[in-house]
Amino acid sequence: MSTLIEVASKEIGTKEIPGSGHNQRVVNYAKESGFNYINDDETPWCSFFMNWVAKKAGMESSGLGNARSWLNVGITVVNPEPGDVVIFWRESPNSHKGHVGVFMGYSQDQSRIYTLGGNQNNQVGETAYSKSQLLGFRRLRPAKKRQLSTAVLKRGSYGQDVVELQNALKLCGYSAGTSDGDFGPKTEAALKLFQSTKNLTIDGVFGSNTRAELVKQLSKL
């Protein structure tokens, strides 16, 4: 499964056509996400793009064209990681206007939030937004329920099974780092923390008992 960053990054540089022309690629972000009434590249399209990216990545989406609709998708995140969704206000915190994109990180002084998204300077790209405009971070869940591997996974394991484990841990609130499929120290620490809170053997190994408890927790989300 591709990540939001992987999908969005491939579109960097796609931009609106000035004047009366319209970039069909931008129009297709909307149409392929179910917004069939869009026929131009001038209607604010950050949420259209985010819906398109989420769909391509196999994740849940807002299904709406307004950026603030993403505040109701996924789960709330306090300590975001690259690949989470970030939502900002525009003009006023109390207005209906906003912007949505993929969180990439903070500036060194923590005052700006680097965001990968659409309709940023009329194109797909990475832009730094003021932290003062932040409305919230969200972590998306898979659009379809995925089965966790029945294989025993531990430090040194690698592959898609580990990606699914990392995603599951993060959805349950345990920071496993970037979902890169590499079962390293951060994934092991997250798994041990999960085990410690569920009265499981704290060995950092994803075995049958840990799998059963993690599946149980995911079913509550």
mmCIF file of all heavy atoms in Angstrom, residues 69-108:
data_model
loop_
_atom_site.group_PDB
_atom_site.id
_atom_site.type_symbol
_atom_site.label_atom_id
_atom_site.label_comp_id
_atom_site.label_asym_id
_atom_site.label_seq_id
_atom_site.Cartn_x
_atom_site.Cartn_y
_atom_site.Cartn_z
ATOM 1 N N SER A 69 -13.542 19.649 6.310
ATOM 2 C CA SER A 69 -14.211 18.352 6.441
ATOM 3 C C SER A 69 -13.249 17.284 6.927
ATOM 4 O O SER A 69 -13.665 16.277 7.508
ATOM 5 C CB SER A 69 -14.821 17.931 5.096
ATOM 6 O OG SER A 69 -13.811 17.714 4.114
ATOM 7 N N TRP A 70 -11.942 17.511 6.729
ATOM 8 C CA TRP A 70 -10.943 16.531 7.149
ATOM 9 C C TRP A 70 -10.760 16.495 8.659
ATOM 10 O O TRP A 70 -10.131 15.566 9.188
ATOM 11 C CB TRP A 70 -9.621 16.803 6.443
ATOM 12 C CG TRP A 70 -9.727 16.465 4.986
ATOM 13 C CD1 TRP A 70 -10.144 17.291 3.976
ATOM 14 C CD2 TRP A 70 -9.473 15.204 4.379
ATOM 15 N NE1 TRP A 70 -10.164 16.622 2.785
ATOM 16 C CE2 TRP A 70 -9.745 15.337 2.998
ATOM 17 C CE3 TRP A 70 -9.017 13.970 4.863
ATOM 18 C CZ2 TRP A 70 -9.599 14.280 2.104
ATOM 19 C CZ3 TRP A 70 -8.860 12.917 3.975
ATOM 20 C CH2 TRP A 70 -9.155 13.086 2.615
ATOM 21 N N LEU A 71 -11.319 17.456 9.362
ATOM 22 C CA LEU A 71 -11.272 17.424 10.826
ATOM 23 C C LEU A 71 -12.155 16.316 11.383
ATOM 24 O O LEU A 71 -12.065 15.980 12.570
ATOM 25 C CB LEU A 71 -11.717 18.777 11.393
ATOM 26 C CG LEU A 71 -10.746 19.945 11.173
ATOM 27 C CD1 LEU A 71 -11.433 21.265 11.517
ATOM 28 C CD2 LEU A 71 -9.480 19.757 12.012
ATOM 29 N N ASN A 72 -12.996 15.727 10.526
ATOM 30 C CA ASN A 72 -13.905 14.667 10.958
ATOM 31 C C ASN A 72 -13.510 13.294 10.418
ATOM 32 O O ASN A 72 -14.274 12.340 10.517
ATOM 33 C CB ASN A 72 -15.330 14.993 10.500
ATOM 34 C CG ASN A 72 -15.842 16.298 11.073
ATOM 35 O OD1 ASN A 72 -15.669 16.568 12.257
ATOM 36 N ND2 ASN A 72 -16.460 17.115 10.242
ATOM 37 N N VAL A 73 -12.319 13.205 9.841
ATOM 38 C CA VAL A 73 -11.861 11.951 9.242
ATOM 39 C C VAL A 73 -10.690 11.401 10.042
ATOM 40 O O VAL A 73 -9.837 12.153 10.511
ATOM 41 C CB VAL A 73 -11.424 12.181 7.773
ATOM 42 C CG1 VAL A 73 -11.023 10.859 7.124
ATOM 43 C CG2 VAL A 73 -12.538 12.839 6.983
ATOM 44 N N GLY A 74 -10.633 10.082 10.177
ATOM 45 C CA GLY A 74 -9.511 9.473 10.884
ATOM 46 C C GLY A 74 -9.570 9.711 12.380
ATOM 47 O O GLY A 74 -10.634 9.910 12.964
ATOM 48 N N ILE A 75 -8.419 9.718 13.003
ATOM 49 C CA ILE A 75 -8.333 9.909 14.447
ATOM 50 C C ILE A 75 -7.467 11.126 14.750
ATOM 51 O O ILE A 75 -6.554 11.458 14.002
ATOM 52 C CB ILE A 75 -7.775 8.666 15.164
ATOM 53 C CG1 ILE A 75 -6.364 8.322 14.651
ATOM 54 C CG2 ILE A 75 -8.702 7.483 14.975
ATOM 55 C CD1 ILE A 75 -5.716 7.176 15.397
ATOM 56 N N THR A 76 -7.765 11.786 15.850
ATOM 57 C CA THR A 76 -7.004 12.966 16.255
ATOM 58 C C THR A 76 -5.576 12.588 16.634
ATOM 59 O O THR A 76 -5.349 11.578 17.298
ATOM 60 C CB THR A 76 -7.679 13.645 17.457
ATOM 61 O OG1 THR A 76 -9.000 14.027 17.101
ATOM 62 C CG2 THR A 76 -6.904 14.881 17.887
ATOM 63 N N VAL A 77 -4.629 13.396 16.201
ATOM 64 C CA VAL A 77 -3.218 13.166 16.507
ATOM 65 C C VAL A 77 -2.660 14.414 17.184
ATOM 66 O O VAL A 77 -2.850 15.528 16.702
ATOM 67 C CB VAL A 77 -2.410 12.876 15.228
ATOM 68 C CG1 VAL A 77 -0.938 12.717 15.560
ATOM 69 C CG2 VAL A 77 -2.932 11.622 14.554
ATOM 70 N N VAL A 78 -1.998 14.221 18.311
ATOM 71 C CA VAL A 78 -1.374 15.336 19.025
ATOM 72 C C VAL A 78 0.079 15.493 18.594
ATOM 73 O O VAL A 78 0.566 16.613 18.419
ATOM 74 C CB VAL A 78 -1.463 15.124 20.549
ATOM 75 C CG1 VAL A 78 -0.746 16.247 21.284
ATOM 76 C CG2 VAL A 78 -2.924 15.046 20.988
ATOM 77 N N ASN A 79 0.760 14.380 18.440
ATOM 78 C CA ASN A 79 2.161 14.390 18.008
ATOM 79 C C ASN A 79 2.231 13.789 16.607
ATOM 80 O O ASN A 79 2.424 12.572 16.452
ATOM 81 C CB ASN A 79 3.026 13.594 18.984
ATOM 82 C CG ASN A 79 3.018 14.192 20.372
ATOM 83 O OD1 ASN A 79 3.289 15.374 20.541
ATOM 84 N ND2 ASN A 79 2.710 13.372 21.378
ATOM 85 N N PRO A 80 2.073 14.614 15.579
ATOM 86 C CA PRO A 80 1.993 14.102 14.209
ATOM 87 C C PRO A 80 3.313 13.558 13.692
ATOM 88 O O PRO A 80 4.391 13.926 14.176
ATOM 89 C CB PRO A 80 1.566 15.339 13.412
ATOM 90 C CG PRO A 80 2.194 16.470 14.164
ATOM 91 C CD PRO A 80 2.040 16.093 15.610
ATOM 92 N N GLU A 81 3.219 12.687 12.714
ATOM 93 C CA GLU A 81 4.371 12.163 12.018
ATOM 94 C C GLU A 81 4.193 12.442 10.535
ATOM 95 O O GLU A 81 3.062 12.593 10.052
ATOM 96 C CB GLU A 81 4.508 10.661 12.268
ATOM 97 C CG GLU A 81 4.765 10.303 13.720
ATOM 98 C CD GLU A 81 4.963 8.813 13.931
ATOM 99 O OE1 GLU A 81 4.756 8.054 12.960
ATOM 100 O OE2 GLU A 81 5.324 8.417 15.052
ATOM 101 N N PRO A 82 5.275 12.533 9.780
ATOM 102 C CA PRO A 82 5.140 12.745 8.346
ATOM 103 C C PRO A 82 4.190 11.723 7.728
ATOM 104 O O PRO A 82 4.307 10.516 7.980
ATOM 105 C CB PRO A 82 6.577 12.559 7.840
ATOM 106 C CG PRO A 82 7.420 12.993 9.000
ATOM 107 C CD PRO A 82 6.690 12.492 10.203
ATOM 108 N N GLY A 83 3.234 12.223 6.967
ATOM 109 C CA GLY A 83 2.231 11.341 6.368
ATOM 110 C C GLY A 83 0.867 11.490 7.002
ATOM 111 O O GLY A 83 -0.123 10.989 6.462
ATOM 112 N N ASP A 84 0.794 12.173 8.140
ATOM 113 C CA ASP A 84 -0.512 12.482 8.718
ATOM 114 C C ASP A 84 -1.127 13.639 7.938
ATOM 115 O O ASP A 84 -0.467 14.301 7.139
ATOM 116 C CB ASP A 84 -0.367 12.855 10.200
ATOM 117 C CG ASP A 84 -0.074 11.651 11.076
ATOM 118 O OD1 ASP A 84 -0.509 10.545 10.730
ATOM 119 O OD2 ASP A 84 0.613 11.821 12.105
ATOM 120 N N VAL A 85 -2.402 13.897 8.180
ATOM 121 C CA VAL A 85 -3.104 14.989 7.503
ATOM 122 C C VAL A 85 -3.113 16.217 8.418
ATOM 123 O O VAL A 85 -3.301 16.090 9.636
ATOM 124 C CB VAL A 85 -4.555 14.573 7.166
ATOM 125 C CG1 VAL A 85 -5.340 15.748 6.585
ATOM 126 C CG2 VAL A 85 -4.549 13.418 6.178
ATOM 127 N N VAL A 86 -2.896 17.386 7.838
ATOM 128 C CA VAL A 86 -2.905 18.624 8.614
ATOM 129 C C VAL A 86 -3.927 19.578 8.013
ATOM 130 O O VAL A 86 -4.058 19.683 6.795
ATOM 131 C CB VAL A 86 -1.493 19.267 8.648
ATOM 132 C CG1 VAL A 86 -0.961 19.554 7.245
ATOM 133 C CG2 VAL A 86 -1.501 20.534 9.479
ATOM 134 N N ILE A 87 -4.672 20.255 8.887
ATOM 135 C CA ILE A 87 -5.719 21.175 8.454
ATOM 136 C C ILE A 87 -5.475 22.556 9.049
ATOM 137 O O ILE A 87 -5.182 22.683 10.250
ATOM 138 C CB ILE A 87 -7.121 20.678 8.875
ATOM 139 C CG1 ILE A 87 -7.356 19.243 8.375
ATOM 140 C CG2 ILE A 87 -8.206 21.615 8.332
ATOM 141 C CD1 ILE A 87 -7.087 18.167 9.388
ATOM 142 N N PHE A 88 -5.584 23.581 8.215
ATOM 143 C CA PHE A 88 -5.374 24.966 8.623
ATOM 144 C C PHE A 88 -6.643 25.791 8.388
ATOM 145 O O PHE A 88 -7.490 25.422 7.575
ATOM 146 C CB PHE A 88 -4.245 25.615 7.811
ATOM 147 C CG PHE A 88 -2.928 24.909 7.887
ATOM 148 C CD1 PHE A 88 -2.556 23.997 6.909
ATOM 149 C CD2 PHE A 88 -2.034 25.172 8.927
ATOM 150 C CE1 PHE A 88 -1.324 23.359 6.962
ATOM 151 C CE2 PHE A 88 -0.802 24.537 8.985
ATOM 152 C CZ PHE A 88 -0.449 23.625 8.005
ATOM 153 N N TRP A 89 -6.751 26.914 9.090
ATOM 154 C CA TRP A 89 -7.815 27.868 8.782
ATOM 155 C C TRP A 89 -7.267 28.917 7.821
ATOM 156 O O TRP A 89 -6.070 29.148 7.754
ATOM 157 C CB TRP A 89 -8.374 28.537 10.039
ATOM 158 C CG TRP A 89 -7.402 29.256 10.931
ATOM 159 C CD1 TRP A 89 -6.803 28.757 12.056
ATOM 160 C CD2 TRP A 89 -6.931 30.609 10.809
ATOM 161 N NE1 TRP A 89 -5.985 29.695 12.636
ATOM 162 C CE2 TRP A 89 -6.049 30.856 11.899
ATOM 163 C CE3 TRP A 89 -7.174 31.639 9.900
ATOM 164 C CZ2 TRP A 89 -5.403 32.075 12.089
ATOM 165 C CZ3 TRP A 89 -6.534 32.864 10.090
ATOM 166 C CH2 TRP A 89 -5.664 33.075 11.162
ATOM 167 N N ARG A 90 -8.186 29.513 7.074
ATOM 168 C CA ARG A 90 -7.835 30.625 6.189
ATOM 169 C C ARG A 90 -8.721 31.820 6.508
ATOM 170 O O ARG A 90 -9.901 31.652 6.821
ATOM 171 C CB ARG A 90 -8.026 30.248 4.715
ATOM 172 C CG ARG A 90 -6.972 29.335 4.161
ATOM 173 C CD ARG A 90 -6.997 29.284 2.630
ATOM 174 N NE ARG A 90 -8.251 28.810 2.086
ATOM 175 C CZ ARG A 90 -9.049 29.519 1.293
ATOM 176 N NH1 ARG A 90 -8.742 30.769 0.968
ATOM 177 N NH2 ARG A 90 -10.167 28.997 0.828
ATOM 178 N N GLU A 91 -8.153 32.984 6.456
ATOM 179 C CA GLU A 91 -8.830 34.260 6.702
ATOM 180 C C GLU A 91 -9.188 34.457 8.171
ATOM 181 O O GLU A 91 -8.875 35.461 8.767
ATOM 182 C CB GLU A 91 -10.066 34.414 5.816
ATOM 183 C CG GLU A 91 -9.738 34.484 4.330
ATOM 184 C CD GLU A 91 -10.945 34.803 3.475
ATOM 185 O OE1 GLU A 91 -12.048 35.071 4.028
ATOM 186 O OE2 GLU A 91 -10.809 34.789 2.234
ATOM 187 N N SER A 92 -9.847 33.471 8.767
ATOM 188 C CA SER A 92 -10.239 33.573 10.176
ATOM 189 C C SER A 92 -10.472 32.179 10.744
ATOM 190 O O SER A 92 -10.983 31.302 10.041
ATOM 191 C CB SER A 92 -11.526 34.397 10.310
ATOM 192 O OG SER A 92 -12.101 34.234 11.598
ATOM 193 N N PRO A 93 -10.117 31.940 12.010
ATOM 194 C CA PRO A 93 -10.380 30.632 12.621
ATOM 195 C C PRO A 93 -11.866 30.288 12.620
ATOM 196 O O PRO A 93 -12.231 29.111 12.653
ATOM 197 C CB PRO A 93 -9.854 30.796 14.052
ATOM 198 C CG PRO A 93 -8.854 31.897 13.966
ATOM 199 C CD PRO A 93 -9.402 32.844 12.939
ATOM 200 N N ASN A 94 -12.713 31.306 12.584
ATOM 201 C CA ASN A 94 -14.156 31.077 12.657
ATOM 202 C C ASN A 94 -14.840 31.056 11.296
ATOM 203 O O ASN A 94 -16.053 30.895 11.219
ATOM 204 C CB ASN A 94 -14.803 32.160 13.525
ATOM 205 C CG ASN A 94 -14.277 32.131 14.948
ATOM 206 O OD1 ASN A 94 -14.097 31.063 15.529
ATOM 207 N ND2 ASN A 94 -14.013 33.303 15.519
ATOM 208 N N SER A 95 -14.064 31.218 10.229
ATOM 209 C CA SER A 95 -14.658 31.176 8.894
ATOM 210 C C SER A 95 -14.851 29.727 8.471
ATOM 211 O O SER A 95 -14.428 28.792 9.160
ATOM 212 C CB SER A 95 -13.777 31.903 7.883
ATOM 213 O OG SER A 95 -12.646 31.106 7.553
ATOM 214 N N HIS A 96 -15.466 29.528 7.307
ATOM 215 C CA HIS A 96 -15.629 28.166 6.801
ATOM 216 C C HIS A 96 -14.443 27.752 5.928
ATOM 217 O O HIS A 96 -14.343 26.600 5.518
ATOM 218 C CB HIS A 96 -16.901 28.065 5.951
ATOM 219 C CG HIS A 96 -16.824 28.843 4.667
ATOM 220 N ND1 HIS A 96 -17.005 30.218 4.624
ATOM 221 C CD2 HIS A 96 -16.572 28.452 3.399
ATOM 222 C CE1 HIS A 96 -16.867 30.629 3.362
ATOM 223 N NE2 HIS A 96 -16.601 29.589 2.612
ATOM 224 N N LYS A 97 -13.528 28.691 5.694
ATOM 225 C CA LYS A 97 -12.425 28.437 4.780
ATOM 226 C C LYS A 97 -11.245 27.759 5.472
ATOM 227 O O LYS A 97 -11.002 27.968 6.659
ATOM 228 C CB LYS A 97 -11.974 29.746 4.140
ATOM 229 C CG LYS A 97 -13.047 30.410 3.284
ATOM 230 C CD LYS A 97 -12.534 31.688 2.657
ATOM 231 C CE LYS A 97 -13.610 32.340 1.784
ATOM 232 N NZ LYS A 97 -13.123 33.586 1.137
ATOM 233 N N GLY A 98 -10.527 26.962 4.676
ATOM 234 C CA GLY A 98 -9.377 26.271 5.249
ATOM 235 C C GLY A 98 -8.469 25.722 4.174
ATOM 236 O O GLY A 98 -8.661 25.964 2.985
ATOM 237 N N HIS A 99 -7.485 24.973 4.620
ATOM 238 C CA HIS A 99 -6.564 24.306 3.710
ATOM 239 C C HIS A 99 -6.184 22.967 4.317
ATOM 240 O O HIS A 99 -6.069 22.831 5.539
ATOM 241 C CB HIS A 99 -5.313 25.147 3.475
ATOM 242 C CG HIS A 99 -4.343 24.494 2.533
ATOM 243 N ND1 HIS A 99 -4.585 24.380 1.186
ATOM 244 C CD2 HIS A 99 -3.138 23.891 2.761
ATOM 245 C CE1 HIS A 99 -3.587 23.744 0.607
ATOM 246 N NE2 HIS A 99 -2.683 23.432 1.538
ATOM 247 N N VAL A 100 -5.991 21.960 3.456
ATOM 248 C CA VAL A 100 -5.631 20.626 3.930
ATOM 249 C C VAL A 100 -4.494 20.077 3.087
ATOM 250 O O VAL A 100 -4.404 20.343 1.881
ATOM 251 C CB VAL A 100 -6.852 19.671 3.891
ATOM 252 C CG1 VAL A 100 -7.364 19.494 2.459
ATOM 253 C CG2 VAL A 100 -6.518 18.329 4.517
ATOM 254 N N GLY A 101 -3.603 19.344 3.727
ATOM 255 C CA GLY A 101 -2.502 18.716 3.017
ATOM 256 C C GLY A 101 -1.879 17.627 3.867
ATOM 257 O O GLY A 101 -2.424 17.243 4.913
ATOM 258 N N VAL A 102 -0.744 17.154 3.425
ATOM 259 C CA VAL A 102 -0.021 16.088 4.129
ATOM 260 C C VAL A 102 1.092 16.707 4.973
ATOM 261 O O VAL A 102 1.927 17.466 4.458
ATOM 262 C CB VAL A 102 0.583 15.089 3.127
ATOM 263 C CG1 VAL A 102 1.307 13.960 3.869
ATOM 264 C CG2 VAL A 102 -0.499 14.507 2.216
ATOM 265 N N PHE A 103 1.092 16.405 6.241
ATOM 266 C CA PHE A 103 2.110 16.921 7.159
ATOM 267 C C PHE A 103 3.469 16.331 6.814
ATOM 268 O O PHE A 103 3.625 15.118 6.672
ATOM 269 C CB PHE A 103 1.741 16.566 8.598
ATOM 270 C CG PHE A 103 2.814 16.884 9.608
ATOM 271 C CD1 PHE A 103 3.067 18.190 9.982
ATOM 272 C CD2 PHE A 103 3.563 15.869 10.187
ATOM 273 C CE1 PHE A 103 4.064 18.491 10.909
ATOM 274 C CE2 PHE A 103 4.546 16.149 11.113
ATOM 275 C CZ PHE A 103 4.797 17.465 11.480
ATOM 276 N N MET A 104 4.485 17.229 6.710
ATOM 277 C CA MET A 104 5.841 16.781 6.406
ATOM 278 C C MET A 104 6.822 17.048 7.538
ATOM 279 O O MET A 104 7.864 16.402 7.630
ATOM 280 C CB MET A 104 6.323 17.482 5.132
ATOM 281 C CG MET A 104 5.487 17.178 3.902
ATOM 282 S SD MET A 104 5.499 15.428 3.434
ATOM 283 C CE MET A 104 7.146 15.284 2.759
ATOM 284 N N GLY A 105 6.501 18.026 8.402
ATOM 285 C CA GLY A 105 7.393 18.325 9.520
ATOM 286 C C GLY A 105 7.316 19.782 9.922
ATOM 287 O O GLY A 105 6.641 20.591 9.273
ATOM 288 N N TYR A 106 7.996 20.108 11.004
ATOM 289 C CA TYR A 106 8.051 21.480 11.506
ATOM 290 C C TYR A 106 9.360 22.146 11.097
ATOM 291 O O TYR A 106 10.368 21.468 10.866
ATOM 292 C CB TYR A 106 7.980 21.495 13.034
ATOM 293 C CG TYR A 106 6.618 21.251 13.627
ATOM 294 C CD1 TYR A 106 6.268 19.994 14.102
ATOM 295 C CD2 TYR A 106 5.687 22.289 13.740
ATOM 296 C CE1 TYR A 106 5.019 19.765 14.667
ATOM 297 C CE2 TYR A 106 4.439 22.074 14.303
ATOM 298 C CZ TYR A 106 4.106 20.808 14.761
ATOM 299 O OH TYR A 106 2.875 20.590 15.315
ATOM 300 N N SER A 107 9.325 23.462 11.035
ATOM 301 C CA SER A 107 10.557 24.216 10.858
ATOM 302 C C SER A 107 11.380 24.081 12.143
ATOM 303 O O SER A 107 10.868 23.674 13.193
ATOM 304 C CB SER A 107 10.261 25.686 10.572
ATOM 305 O OG SER A 107 9.570 26.281 11.663
ATOM 306 N N GLN A 108 12.644 24.433 12.072
ATOM 307 C CA GLN A 108 13.534 24.266 13.225
ATOM 308 C C GLN A 108 13.038 25.025 14.449
ATOM 309 O O GLN A 108 13.180 24.551 15.581
ATOM 310 C CB GLN A 108 14.952 24.718 12.863
ATOM 311 C CG GLN A 108 15.990 24.391 13.929
ATOM 312 C CD GLN A 108 17.403 24.646 13.448
ATOM 313 O OE1 GLN A 108 17.623 25.130 12.356
ATOM 314 N NE2 GLN A 108 18.381 24.304 14.269
#
